[in-house]
Amino acid sequence: MFILTFSPLMGCSQNQTKVEINQQAFVFALYVNKGKQEGSTEVTISTPLPNRLTSGQQAGGHGNGAPYAMVTREASTVQDALKLIQRDLTRRFDFSHTRIVVVGRSYAEAGLEDLMDWLQREPTTNLNTYLMVAPGDAKKVAELTPIYEQMPSEVLIRIAEQHNMIPTNLRDCLYAESGNQGYALTYLTAGLKPMVAEQEKLEPWTGVQGTAFFQNHKMRTTLPLKESLTISWAVNEIKTPLYTVSWNENGKASVYLISTKSSRSVRMVSGHPVFTIKLSGSGDVVYKRNHNQYDTPEVKEIIERELNNQVAEDLRKALHASQRVGADVVQLGMLVDWNYPDHWEKVRANWPEYYKNEVEIEVVTDIRIRNFGTILRTKPE
């Protein structure tokens, strides 16, 4: 009993496969691009610098230098590029803290098969690692100015965790691929923006511009922000979106949705699956332009009608885009597998084409206005 109690404490010094923490380089983010040479891959790692991560360090790493390092190498595979980086480092890689992988657009269009294969085989891979797509060079995203954080990787993690757009991680991608389904990744934007904290100096900035649709680990198309919101809503991955609707000549209102949820169902009609996607939610009117129009139940009904119509139309456009490229990013095929397994066995192998040409999808919305932010009033007599 004495040996069993203390043997775990002795393991670190006796097991030669263990690596002391001061001998490790914790990789917080990976940035992957197509290489300059045909068929090559460029990999960039981002690791923190412990000697600069002090409590007094300013956000963004200004002062004594950035609190992180980035190293880039190019080789025929992801693993070969990482091996070249490791050869020049004084510490050994540890990917257990990697939470962000950003791929460049050209690499995403060519396909993520090699990257996914390496991520699955690397023993320290974290399945909760988020994947995102950069509009060009993935390294440009890493140049962002982390105003509120210390490192760019922290900013990207925050973007994913806030659920302003679909936050897809490695587990989601592998799960979708195993079922011959598609998946959607956050599609970033990168550029320069004047920073008030830096005396209006132009600094690198990264944001979200929509989603990128994948099928068989290959990017098929991108979707604008409005339609991307509804796809995120359809898979229950969005929180508190804001919508603005208009009616007549002067009517305009903004609605802040406090709660959102979705449901998906399938039924067989004439031997083919018919899907129904229902988006529901409730929110408050936080802005109304026409002050001469009182906050009456009639106005509430108008806003609800316009809001439901807009959300339904955005979702139809998003689903049409997914069907056009055969990328079932809402993973409706899983519903067929669960409810009609015999039919799924017939169509599973060719699901992308079947989803593209044979599937019918109905859209239903039920979005309600809770209040106008004030007591509901009626017109005076």
Side-chain angles (χ1 to χ4, degrees):
M1 186 67 179
F2 178 83
I3 296 176
L4 290 175
T5 302
F6 286 92
S7 58
L9 301 177
M10 300 167 61
C12 216
S13 60
Q14 291 184 347
N15 190 343
Q16 297 300 316
T17 63
K18 299 291 184 180
V19 181
E20 298 295 336
I21 192 169
N22 62 355
Q23 297 176 347
Q24 292 177 301
F26 295 102
V27 180
F28 280 14
L30 283 171
Y31 304 91
V32 185
N33 289 301
K34 286 187 68 174
K36 295 181 177 63
Q37 301 296 323
E38 183 67 26
S40 66
T41 301
E42 179 193 84
V43 178
T44 301
I45 66 166
S46 177
T47 62
L49 298 175
N51 57 328
R52 293 184 181 178
L53 288 174
T54 62
S55 59
Q57 182 75 46
Q58 295 178 342
H62 300 292
N64 295 326
Y68 61 92
M70 295 182 63
V71 186
T72 302
R73 293 291 184 273
E74 182 178 322
S76 59
T77 68
V78 172
Q79 181 57 54
D80 287 336
L82 288 171
K83 187 66 176 179
L84 292 177
I85 297 175
Q86 180 68 87
R87 187 177 61 187
D88 296 336
L89 294 187
T90 59
R91 299 189 178 202
R92 287 181 57 182
F93 287 147
D94 187 305
F95 295 99
S96 61
H97 289 71
T98 304
R99 294 297 310 281
I100 286 290
V101 175
V102 180
V103 296
R105 175 162 184 153
S106 60
Y107 184 83
E109 290 174 336
L112 310 182
E113 292 90 349
D114 290 348
L115 174 62
M116 290 296 181
D117 183 77
W118 172 77
L119 286 170
Q120 292 180 74
R121 296 176 189 277
E122 166 56 43
T124 61
T125 294
N126 189 334
L127 289 176
N128 292 320
T129 299
Y130 296 113
L131 284 89
M132 297 179 176
V133 181
D137 186 344
K139 297 193 303 299
K140 293 294 182 182
V141 172
E143 295 175 1
L144 68 86
T145 304
I147 299 298
Y148 296 101
E149 315 299 337
Q150 287 188 313
M151 290 174 283
S153 59
E154 292 179 287
V155 177
L156 298 174
I157 292 170
R158 297 284 186 178
I159 288 175
E161 291 179 341
Q162 288 179 9
H163 289 260
N164 291 326
M165 195 55 63
I166 188 168
T168 305
N169 59 32
L170 176 59
R171 180 187 288 106
D172 298 328
C173 297
L174 298 178
Y175 179 74
E177 183 65 16
S178 68
N180 204 13
Q181 310 288 288
Y183 56 86
L185 301 184
T186 297
Y187 188 46
L188 300 169
T189 181
L192 298 176
K193 184 176 180 179
M195 299 292 172
V196 175
E198 303 297 330
Q199 292 77 46
E200 297 296 327
K201 180 182 177 182
L202 290 176
E203 295 285 352
W205 185 263
T206 293
V208 176
Q209 63 172 310
T211 50
F213 287 179
F214 283 75
Q215 179 65 43
N216 297 328
H217 291 319
K218 184 175 291 186
M219 193 179 89
R220 306 296 179 173
T221 189
T222 59
L223 202 64
L225 192 60
K226 282 181 59 181
E227 291 85 350
S228 295
L229 287 174
T230 56
I231 284 292
S232 303
W233 190 341
V235 294
N236 284 308
E237 288 289 2
I238 195 169
K239 295 181 179 179
T240 60
L242 179 72
Y243 280 89
T244 299
V245 297
S246 302
W247 66 97
N248 298 333
E249 293 183 0
N250 298 317
K252 188 174 185 179
S254 296
V255 180
Y256 183 71
L257 297 179
I258 306 301
S259 65
T260 57
K261 64 179 180 179
S262 73
S263 62
R264 289 163 284 175
S265 60
V266 60
R267 66 185 189 277
M268 295 298 291
V269 178
S270 302
H272 294 283
V274 177
F275 299 93
T276 300
I277 300 179
K278 181 179 180 179
L279 303 185
S280 57
S282 62
D284 301 335
V285 175
V286 294
Y287 165 77
K288 186 164 71 67
R289 183 170 63 185
N290 191 347
H291 299 291
N292 295 324
Q293 195 173 36
Y294 288 92
D295 296 347
T296 64
E298 291 76 15
V299 174
K300 174 175 172 288
E301 291 178 3
I302 292 174
I303 297 174
E304 285 181 342
R305 183 192 68 224
E306 296 299 324
L307 180 58
N308 278 272
N309 289 342
Q310 178 176 314
V311 171
E313 182 61 22
D314 288 346
L315 181 56
R316 290 190 187 99
K317 289 180 180 178
L319 293 171
H320 176 73
S322 73
Q323 287 189 280
R324 179 170 50 82
V325 297
D328 181 13
V329 296
V330 186
Q331 298 176 6
L332 298 176
M334 296 297 184
L335 293 179
V336 182
D337 186 14
W338 299 332
N339 293 276
Y340 303 100
D342 292 339
H343 186 77
W344 177 246
E345 285 301 314
K346 298 177 183 178
V347 301
R348 181 184 186 280
N350 196 38
W351 179 248
E353 283 299 315
Y354 190 89
Y355 173 74
K356 180 179 181 179
N357 300 310
E358 304 293 338
V359 164
E360 179 182 347
I361 308 175
E362 298 174 345
V363 173
V364 178
T365 58
D366 181 21
I367 308 168
R368 305 298 177 91
I369 303 300
R370 299 192 313 174
N371 56 60
F372 285 87
T374 58
I375 297 176
L376 196 66
R377 300 191 297 269
T378 58
K379 291 182 179 181
E381 297 182 0

